[in-house]
Amino acid sequence: MNENNKFGLENSHGDHLSNHSSGVSADWQFNTPAVSAAPPHPSTAASLVPPLTSSPFLSAPMAEAFVPGLWNHRTMSVGGSNIQNSTSAISSIPIGRSIAMSSEGMLLSAPPVIFPPSVPHFPADLGFIERAARFSCLSGGSFMDMNLLRQSQSVAPARKASKVVMETQVQNTELSMTRDKVVSLPAAYGSIDQSQMDTQRDRRSSHISNSESQETNFSEGGQEGNIDSSDVAGNSSPSDLGANKRKRTIQDMEKDQVQRGPQSSSDATKDNTETKHKVEQNSSKHGAKNGKDNSEAAKEGYVHVRARRGQATNSHSLAERVRREKISERMKYLQELVPGCSKVTGKAVMLDEIINYVQSLQRQVEFLSMKLAAVNPQLDLSGERLLAKNLRRSHGSPLSIAGFSQEMSYPQVYPTVNPSDTYRRTMNTRLPTMSGYKEPSMQMHNNPWNEEIVMQMDYDANHPPNAQEINRKLDGFAI
Amino acid sequence: MLAFRFLRALTLVHRTTPNSSNAARSRRIQRAAFASMAYSAGPRRAWSRALLCRFHFHRARRRCAGRSRTAGVPRRPSTTGSPADGLRRLVPGGTEMDYCSLLEETADYIRCLSKQVKLMQSIVDSVGPGGR
């Protein structure tokens, strides 16, 4: 039977694959009891029994058997949180073999695995290869190199595996070439998406990740609404909310491809790797560091967020992480603003420092306003002179004070500045004959808030200012 | 810009209330300082909007009866980031922001506040010791 042949081949492949015990076996171990429990076809059960002796063995052939089918699902199952819809989609598994029915049983036994109901059947190998190639491309250059290395080293002569690996290698090289092409394509998107990013690193990584996401989109086509949305997302300009959603969908797709077994993406993905990339499992631990760096860099982009290794890829957690990064970025900026905060670490202490600083600034304003209230009548005659003096003062000319005092005695208008020009003039004309502010609008044409102050002052002090008092104060100042 | 506005307000205050107590005048000057800050910051900032609305509200209670300042500002109870509650109280309009934008507004508010403080300090310095 076909299934038996496949299992035979996969057994030989399983020998090789059994080296990689983590992840895949964890993924697939839940299958074993189901397989042993209720194999719908005795023949398949018989063929399955021998490999049941050791779980890795089982996992390998089972993985091999399921990989194509599950790859389809994985590509379809975009994001664990997104796929909470139906378990009935198992029927949509490309079923060329009766094993698929047992796979149905097994997969049904795995609760988090939920497949979208309308998964189109496309050639498993093609999808498989695409995933492999994409996976290796996505995880960064070094990782890809390691993939190639590992694949070349450890490829078993099994039909599927060799074909997969070879084609993966081919795909890697092809995609590395096409990636350049693809990079140019989303350049427009990249520029739009990254217009708000600060660092070059972000731009670069997001560019790469954008291209990767584009590859994802291209290869997967319009097979699913999520993918469609991610296609659309790549085209549209980013808004924060939309970008988050895009991030989630693309991210979840890639997470599925990159790290996942059949479990939902909300599971801890530390140990889940692709079944066909069991070969690279060991390498992934090395390569993941590089991949992690890239993914961390890629996380900064608006369109593309990659979950870090070992972190949950729930859409909520992704958005949370983005939010946390925003917050930390702003905290850093605040740290620069607040003097003496560069040594402080920790959010709580920083917050306290910031609060203290803001309070101190507000107290300073209050104190200075008290001082100004006591001190300052001469300003109303020539505020611009004061301004000019301030500017001069900032350059450190002590003579300005004398000059200032001299000018203060003359209620003259020095129209150096346009905005206050008319104001000055009106003030000066009004100075001897002030009787409250009957025409605040004329004076406060630029400052409606002045109106408010004026009206309030009218409210309680509606009498003309005392010019003599002002002159007295001027004299006081001149001395 | 801030300097112009503030100086105008300052001179206005002094001109209109020469007989009131220093305390009252200082309150007015302080309010003028904040108002000039808010005006120079522009309506793009939530804190400046909140400040301006507060002033306008006090000025024309009838008009701003609806507390329209909250329009456009995401209204969220300060359940998240409770250590930021003190900050929310300090920054105008901070009670209705999420934590992320609160930090941003705080940064801008600190910038403007420090500018205002510097300006006022320079005015005081320029007036010199012979002010009284």
Side-chain angles (χ1 to χ4, degrees), chain A residues 323 326-327 330-331 333-334 337-338 347-348 351-352 354-359 361-362 364-366 368-381 383-384 386-387 389-390 393 401 404 417 419-420 423-424 427 431 434 437 443-457 460-461 463-466 469-470 473 476-477, chain B residues 3-23 25-37 39 52 55-56 58-59 76 80-81 83-87 90-92 98-104 106-111 113-114 116-128 130-132:
Chain A
R323 186 175 159 270
K326 262 201 213 171
I327 288 176
R330 281 166 191 176
M331 289 289 286
Y333 182 60
L334 277 169
L337 267 187
V338 179
K347 272 209 247 174
L351 268 178
D352 286 339
I354 291 167
I355 290 174
N356 286 339
Y357 188 59
V358 171
Q359 274 172 345
L361 281 177
Q362 284 175 341
Q364 261 183 303
V365 168
E366 196 178 333
L368 285 170
S369 70
M370 262 175 26
K371 265 190 143 182
L372 283 174
V375 160
N376 251 333
Q378 59 276 25
L379 285 174
D380 56 348
L381 292 187
E384 65 224 318
L386 178 64
L387 258 185
K389 195 203 75 62
N390 284 341
R393 178 166 255 247
I401 298 177
F404 184 48
V417 181
S420 43
Y423 183 70
R424 287 286 150 259
M427 280 178 54
L431 184 58
M434 274 182 194
Y437 286 80
Q443 290 176 348
M444 318 308 160
H445 57 278
N446 283 343
N447 291 339
W449 60 261
N450 275 340
E451 237 177 309
E452 173 252 342
I453 296 175
V454 167
M455 282 162 68
Q456 284 184 341
M457 293 189 281
D460 53 7
H463 60 278
N466 198 335
E469 198 175 309
I470 291 172
K473 285 173 186 168
F477 174 72
Chain B
F4 287 138
R5 286 187 187 275
F6 180 64
L7 282 171
R8 251 184 292 195
L10 190 58
T11 55
L12 185 62
V13 169
H14 275 288
R15 196 184 15 198
T16 52
T17 61
N19 292 337
S20 57
S21 67
N22 275 359
R25 213 181 305 150
S26 75
R27 287 303 295 175
R28 280 195 207 98
I29 290 176
Q30 195 180 357
R31 201 169 19 217
F34 279 113
S36 60
M37 262 173 62
Y39 264 95
L52 291 176
F55 289 137
H56 287 300
H58 288 306
R59 171 186 154 208
R76 237 221 277 180
T80 59
D85 283 347
L87 200 54
L90 283 178
V91 176
D98 55 325
Y99 188 61
C100 210
S101 38
L102 176 70
L103 289 181
E104 199 174 340
T106 307
D108 198 63
Y109 187 59
I110 286 178
R111 261 203 314 258
L113 259 185
S114 48
Q116 181 72 40
V117 164
K118 275 185 214 148
L119 170 68
M120 292 170 80
Q121 187 68 51
S122 65
I123 293 176
V124 169
D125 291 342
S126 69
V127 167
R132 299 222 180 212

Side-chain angles (χ1 to χ4, degrees), chain A residues 182-468:
Chain A
V182 172
V183 160
S184 63
L185 269 175
Y189 312 136
S191 60
I192 295 171
D193 293 341
Q194 295 145 23
S195 58
Q196 311 185 32
M197 275 194 288
D198 298 329
T199 66
Q200 266 186 0
R201 172 186 65 105
D202 295 341
R203 256 179 255 123
R204 233 185 303 117
S205 53
S206 302
H207 201 62
I208 292 170
S209 53
N210 211 354
S211 70
E212 290 165 352
S213 71
Q214 288 297 322
E215 290 173 5
T216 317
N217 296 340
F218 298 154
S219 57
E220 298 196 355
Q223 286 167 0
E224 194 179 359
N226 285 331
I227 300 178
D228 284 337
S229 68
S230 54
D231 273 332
V232 171
N235 296 336
S236 61
S237 63
S239 62
D240 270 353
L241 201 58
N244 280 342
K245 287 192 182 122
R246 264 177 271 135
K247 271 183 282 194
R248 268 181 256 130
T249 57
I250 295 174
Q251 168 51 53
D252 289 333
M253 271 191 325
E254 288 175 350
K255 274 299 288 182
D256 284 338
Q257 296 156 14
V258 169
Q259 291 190 10
R260 306 290 323 299
Q263 294 169 6
S264 73
S265 59
S266 56
D267 294 346
T269 57
K270 189 168 282 192
D271 296 326
N272 291 344
T273 58
E274 311 292 15
T275 55
K276 61 179 160 304
H277 294 283
K278 308 184 269 284
V279 178
E280 298 129 15
Q281 257 185 10
N282 291 336
S283 70
S284 70
K285 289 182 178 84
H286 309 290
K289 285 180 200 137
N290 299 329
K292 179 180 174 182
D293 293 339
N294 290 341
S295 64
E296 283 189 38
K299 274 197 310 342
E300 302 294 333
Y302 276 114
V303 179
H304 201 84
V305 175
R306 171 90 52 102
R308 279 185 219 149
R309 181 176 168 78
Q311 291 204 353
T313 55
N314 201 3
S315 61
H316 296 299
S317 51
L318 280 176
E320 265 296 309
R321 187 149 13 98
V322 169
R323 186 175 159 270
R324 258 182 274 135
E325 282 161 8
K326 262 201 213 171
I327 288 176
S328 67
E329 175 188 331
R330 281 166 191 176
M331 289 289 286
K332 272 188 225 139
Y333 182 60
L334 277 169
Q335 239 182 352
E336 292 164 26
L337 267 187
V338 179
C341 255
S342 44
K343 306 158 212 140
V344 174
T345 52
K347 272 209 247 174
V349 189
M350 259 312 294
L351 268 178
D352 286 339
E353 284 295 313
I354 291 167
I355 290 174
N356 286 339
Y357 188 59
V358 171
Q359 274 172 345
S360 76
L361 281 177
Q362 284 175 341
R363 266 184 267 124
Q364 261 183 303
V365 168
E366 196 178 333
F367 174 68
L368 285 170
S369 70
M370 262 175 26
K371 265 190 143 182
L372 283 174
V375 160
N376 251 333
Q378 59 276 25
L379 285 174
D380 56 348
L381 292 187
S382 59
E384 65 224 318
R385 294 318 291 173
L386 178 64
L387 258 185
K389 195 203 75 62
N390 284 341
L391 292 170
R392 266 181 271 130
R393 178 166 255 247
S394 67
H395 297 299
S397 68
L399 293 174
S400 59
I401 298 177
F404 184 48
S405 60
Q406 214 173 22
E407 286 153 0
M408 288 320 282
S409 49
Y410 313 112
Q412 293 172 12
V413 175
Y414 297 89
T416 56
V417 181
N418 283 334
S420 43
D421 201 11
T422 51
Y423 183 70
R424 287 286 150 259
R425 281 203 210 99
T426 55
M427 280 178 54
N428 286 322
T429 54
R430 282 181 149 19
L431 184 58
T433 63
M434 274 182 194
S435 59
Y437 286 80
K438 302 199 173 89
E439 297 171 30
S441 56
M442 188 174 150
Q443 290 176 348
M444 318 308 160
H445 57 278
N446 283 343
N447 291 339
W449 60 261
N450 275 340
E451 237 177 309
E452 173 252 342
I453 296 175
V454 167
M455 282 162 68
Q456 284 184 341
M457 293 189 281
D458 279 338
Y459 174 69
D460 53 7
N462 195 4
H463 60 278
N466 198 335
Q468 293 172 358

Side-chain angles (χ1 to χ4, degrees), chain A residues 108-124:
Chain A
L108 278 170
S109 68
V113 183
I114 298 166
F115 306 103
S118 60
V119 172
H121 171 63
F122 62 95

